[in-house]
Amino acid sequence: MRACLTLEYFGPAFHGLQRQDRLLTVQGVLEAALYSLCGQALTVHAAGRTDAGVHALGQVVHVDLPRSYPPHVLRNGLNALMRPHPVAVLAATEVPPDFHARFSARSRHYRYVIINRPAPLTVEAGRAWHVPTALDVPAMQAAAQLLVGQHDFSSFRASSCQARSPVRTLERLDVVPEGEQVLVLASSRSFLHHQVRNMVGSLVQVGKGRWTPADIQNALAARRRCAGGQTAPAEGLYFVAVEYTEIV
Amino acid sequence: MRACLTLEYFGPAFHGLQRQDRLLTVQGVLEAALYSLCGQALTVHAAGRTDAGVHALGQVVHVDLPRSYPPHVLRNGLNALMRPHPVAVLAATEVPPDFHARFSARSRHYRYVIINRPAPLTVEAGRAWHVPTALDVPAMQAAAQLLVGQHDFSSFRASSCQARSPVRTLERLDVVPEGEQVLVLASSRSFLHHQVRNMVGSLVQVGKGRWTPADIQNALAARRRCAGGQTAPAEGLYFVAVEYTEIV
């Protein structure tokens, strides 16, 4: 049985998604629970790798199980086995054998949360980027629109990024004020490593008045990482959802 | 100068609001910062005591300072001195000498956050009450309306409550679904000790179908704590705001 699992996790508790020796990772915790449940070593495949500190509200993984389980048994069993780590299976479903969490994905949605106020964070500490100086949100939104579409995003990709091509098609990049929060909503079929955090770091330069929207255009055109802005902290980033061609 | 401070804090980090020897409390941290700032021991007066684990988004305190400070200096100075504890001064204002954070309050607003889903909490752990069984929200809302108004709330007050009268006038008690969250919004001029958490615990009994709304009515009429429901956990409760007769 090929199972598809929707995962939620609290980023700062893990050294990222991907399994690593001797480090607590989401994949490591999930695969240990699967081993306990099924009695054999299984490998999960995720829609997207998230870095250390990045949260997920709707990460998707698939895994091939040696037998069939009712979805709620899989969900509840894995959740019980993963305690007390802050990762949970929100939903489990059976999927066709040609479904692949990574390769079947049509669109990935991220949310970046900035809290824009003078006072430090308390309840939201570790869950957002605290920017104390007032941000010009309309300027950020105008700049963001210059990044939407198909571009070479070399200026916004981590130097360690292993993707073959730096070209991506950004479907959406919206900067939305919500009370004292400034949300950056990003959608794309796929993203380069650190792309959302690097775009957000650059947009905050615009919000602070240090860059104009035209500087974003120039940074994009430069196609060199050193032309882009700072990398926004991991703790503000949420991997919200993955869309697939067929409903799973 | 009498100063009014609006505070936000993350409840689980503190042994409640009120100063206690050898224990980390919100009042203790704030008064230590005031001592560093002003060079003398000062006592703050809060709009309401919150228990260990209860959060605040808009607690209000007043304090008499030996000299005058520009409000932003007070806010930023105290915030710097209170680091790294998760308590922040959101706003500081000068108020008239007859303003009292507790006695001038006209209305207090609380929010209780329930997350109603099978999967355990990850990102929201420590910030909400996890209720895994599906709740009947309309029944909870119907039951809540039976508590609105002036009543003897003995059935919903902590046995340790020191208030002289058990009579309170509940202005608002609404049960509002919001995605997988169920919010309980409570407003009153003042509340008894544990009143909100005890009302929420009883409403959850209704939501689970163990109590009918009529059982809430009977519990209220019994005027004995043992007739009320369980006390909902502290970590779901937020002290949201205080209203005063005159704008401060």
Side-chain angles (χ1 to χ4, degrees):
Chain A
M1 167 188 181
R2 179 161 287 194
C4 170
L5 308 173
T6 305
L7 299 181
E8 183 188 270
Y9 47 84
F10 179 58
F14 300 98
H15 291 268
L17 176 99
Q18 202 178 10
R19 192 194 321 123
Q20 295 181 62
D21 273 353
R22 292 156 203 265
L23 291 177
L24 193 71
T25 67
V26 174
Q27 187 179 7
V29 168
L30 178 57
E31 288 178 350
L34 283 164
Y35 185 85
S36 298
L37 191 76
C38 305
Q40 64 185 77
L42 301 171
T43 298
V44 303
H45 300 272
R49 291 178 191 167
T50 52
D51 286 317
V54 174
H55 315 283
L57 303 178
Q59 169 74 277
V60 175
V61 305
H62 82 259
V63 59
D64 289 319
L65 304 173
R67 48 159 288 212
S68 184
Y69 295 86
H72 73 280
V73 169
L74 200 55
R75 181 194 67 201
N76 296 350
L78 291 172
N79 283 337
L81 290 162
M82 292 194 294
R83 280 189 188 175
H85 302 294
V87 48
V89 175
L90 299 182
T93 48
E94 183 167 0
V95 285
D98 63 342
F99 172 85
H100 193 289
R102 182 172 166 205
F103 299 119
S104 308
R106 194 181 58 186
S107 189
R108 292 168 169 86
H109 303 289
Y110 281 89
R111 177 161 74 221
Y112 196 96
V113 180
I114 296 164
I115 297 186
N116 187 216
R117 68 180 198 189
L121 306 188
T122 70
V123 176
E124 297 303 325
R127 285 160 182 73
W129 183 16
H130 177 224
V131 176
T133 51
L135 294 173
D136 180 345
V137 174
M140 292 170 72
Q141 171 66 3
Q145 299 328 299
L146 303 172
L147 297 174
V148 172
Q150 183 176 303
H151 302 288
D152 177 330
F153 283 99
S154 293
S155 300
F156 301 98
R157 105 195 257 199
S159 51
S160 60
C161 179
Q162 288 166 19
R164 259 177 256 164
S165 165
V167 176
R168 289 293 181 272
T169 302
L170 189 60
E171 294 160 14
R172 180 187 189 189
L173 190 66
D174 281 318
V175 184
V176 179
E178 197 174 293
E180 67 185 11
Q181 295 191 342
V182 177
L183 307 178
V184 182
L185 308 172
S187 300
S188 180
R189 183 179 183 113
S190 72
F191 287 96
L192 299 165
H193 192 202
H194 282 182
Q195 186 184 343
V196 176
R197 290 165 59 192
N198 290 339
M199 292 191 303
V200 169
S202 304
L203 292 175
V204 164
Q205 293 293 88
V206 174
K208 288 177 173 173
R210 293 183 190 161
W211 284 22
T212 64
D215 290 326
I216 287 278
Q217 186 99 63
N218 294 338
L220 181 67
R223 285 182 282 165
R224 289 174 294 116
R225 175 67 192 105
C226 57
Q230 66 178 127
T231 305
E235 61 201 25
L237 186 59
Y238 293 77
F239 187 16
V240 173
V242 188
E243 278 179 63
Y244 293 94
T245 310
E246 287 161 46
I247 311 256
V248 285
Chain B
M1 168 191 180
R2 179 159 286 194
C4 169
L5 309 174
T6 305
L7 299 182
E8 183 188 89
Y9 48 84
F10 179 58
F14 300 99
H15 292 268
L17 176 99
Q18 203 178 9
R19 191 196 319 124
Q20 295 181 64
D21 272 353
R22 294 159 203 262
L23 290 177
L24 193 70
T25 68
V26 175
Q27 188 179 8
V29 168
L30 178 57
E31 289 178 352
L34 284 163
Y35 184 86
S36 297
L37 190 76
C38 305
Q40 64 185 76
L42 301 172
T43 298
V44 303
H45 300 271
R49 291 178 191 167
T50 52
D51 286 316
V54 174
H55 316 281
L57 302 178
Q59 170 74 279
V60 175
V61 305
H62 82 260
V63 59
D64 289 320
L65 304 173
R67 47 158 292 214
S68 183
Y69 296 86
H72 72 279
V73 169
L74 200 53
R75 181 194 67 200
N76 296 348
L78 291 172
N79 283 336
L81 290 162
M82 292 194 294
R83 281 189 188 175
H85 303 296
V87 47
V89 176
L90 299 181
T93 48
E94 183 166 1
V95 285
D98 63 344
F99 172 86
H100 194 289
R102 182 172 166 205
F103 300 118
S104 308
R106 194 182 57 185
S107 189
R108 291 167 170 85
H109 304 289
Y110 281 88
R111 177 161 74 222
Y112 196 95
V113 180
I114 296 165
I115 296 186
N116 187 216
R117 69 179 196 188
L121 306 187
T122 70
V123 175
E124 297 304 324
R127 285 161 182 75
W129 183 16
H130 177 223
V131 177
T133 51
L135 294 173
D136 180 344
V137 175
M140 293 170 71
Q141 170 66 1
Q145 298 328 298
L146 303 172
L147 298 174
V148 172
Q150 184 176 302
H151 302 287
D152 178 330
F153 283 99
S154 293
S155 300
F156 302 97
R157 103 194 261 200
S159 52
S160 59
C161 180
Q162 290 167 19
R164 259 176 258 167
S165 164
V167 175
R168 290 292 182 274
T169 302
L170 188 60
E171 294 160 14
R172 179 189 190 187
L173 189 66
D174 280 318
V175 184
V176 179
E178 198 174 293
E180 66 185 13
Q181 296 191 341
V182 177
L183 306 177
V184 182
L185 308 172
S187 300
S188 181
R189 184 180 181 111
S190 71
F191 287 96
L192 299 165
H193 192 202
H194 283 184
Q195 186 184 344
V196 178
R197 289 166 59 192
N198 290 339
M199 293 190 302
V200 170
S202 305
L203 292 176
V204 164
Q205 292 294 87
V206 175
K208 288 177 173 174
R210 294 184 190 160
W211 284 21
T212 63
D215 290 327
I216 287 277
Q217 187 100 63
N218 295 337
L220 181 66
R223 284 182 282 165
R224 290 174 294 116
R225 176 65 193 106
C226 57
Q230 66 177 126
T231 306
E235 59 200 27
L237 185 59
Y238 293 77
F239 187 16
V240 173
V242 189
E243 278 179 66
Y244 293 94
T245 310
E246 286 161 47
I247 311 253
V248 286

